[in-house]
Every structure is written in C-alpha cells, then in structure tokens.
Amino acid sequence: MSPAAVAGYDRIGSAALVHTAQAVAAEALRVPFREARARVADDGHGALAVEITAPLTVPVLGSHATPDEPVPTSAHRARATIAERLRTITGRQVERVTVTFTSSIVDTPRRVR
C-alpha cells in the first residue's frame, strides 16, 4: 500500500547540502572530514554547482609507494564520484564539481586492532 499524498514541499537546506558535499568529498578524496571544504550553489535551473577545497593525499615519503594513478586522473574520478553520490543522496542533478587541492597530507597506513 503506497502512502497517501500530502500537500507540502520537501527541501534540503543549504547547510545540509554543504555538509553532505563535504562528507562525500572527504570520502572520495580520502581526507579527514574536517580537512575538506565545500561550497554548493544552485545553477539557476535546479542543478547544483559544487566547489571542493581539500588537501591532496600523498603516500608516505620514503616508502617507495607510488600513487595508483596521476593526480589529474584521481581528481577526475573523485569529481565523478562526488557528483554521483550527491545526486543519489539529495535527488538533485549535479551540473559541475570543481576540486582545488590547497595543500597535501600524508596517507599514513592505519593499524588494525
């Protein structure tokens, strides 16, 4: 049995959109939540334009580990992931995602307990 239709609107507030974009970006870029920043704007046609500022995650220096792919390739993949996850979570079309790396952080392996 489907729920009865009820008049009204469903909206996701701007703060919720920003925090959701921040969480999705942190996950996609493999950085701590507090290190990612997000700005979200409506493009005037109902779609979202998202700007992400975050550090670039690099392997431990001296570990001889090399990244799996070049930075531009991983940034492109992260942008696609961010757009898709935001669309899935919010139901809004994401027209553009811009990622700016402002610093770098070392990707230290975590110990399993």
Side-chain angles (χ1 to χ4, degrees), residues 24-25 28-29 69 72-84 97 99 101:
V24 167
L29 297 169
E69 56 193 5
T73 303
S74 48
H76 179 73
R77 185 181 322 281
R79 285 195 331 265
T81 300
I82 292 164
E84 179 59 27
V97 176
V99 176
F101 296 112

Side-chain angles (χ1 to χ4, degrees), residues 42-90:
D42 189 307
D43 72 350
H45 302 287
L48 300 176
V50 181
E51 295 179 20
I52 303 296
T53 305
L56 173 65
T57 303
V58 297
V60 175
L61 299 176
S63 68
H64 303 294
T66 57
D68 296 334
E69 56 193 5
V71 171
T73 303
S74 48
H76 179 73
R77 185 181 322 281
R79 285 195 331 265
T81 300
I82 292 164
E84 179 59 27
R85 296 265 299 142
L86 276 176
R87 186 194 61 74
T88 300
I89 293 168
T90 66

Side-chain angles (χ1 to χ4, degrees), residues 100-111:
T100 303
F101 296 112
T102 55
S103 62
S104 62
I105 58 172
V106 177
D107 186 18
T108 54
R110 292 176 177 83
R111 291 185 175 181

Side-chain angles (χ1 to χ4, degrees), residues 16-38:
L17 284 172
V18 169
H19 282 95
T20 302
Q22 184 179 359
V24 167
E27 182 179 283
L29 297 169
R30 297 182 355 255
V31 298
F33 175 80
R34 69 183 182 283
E35 297 286 339
R37 298 285 178 258

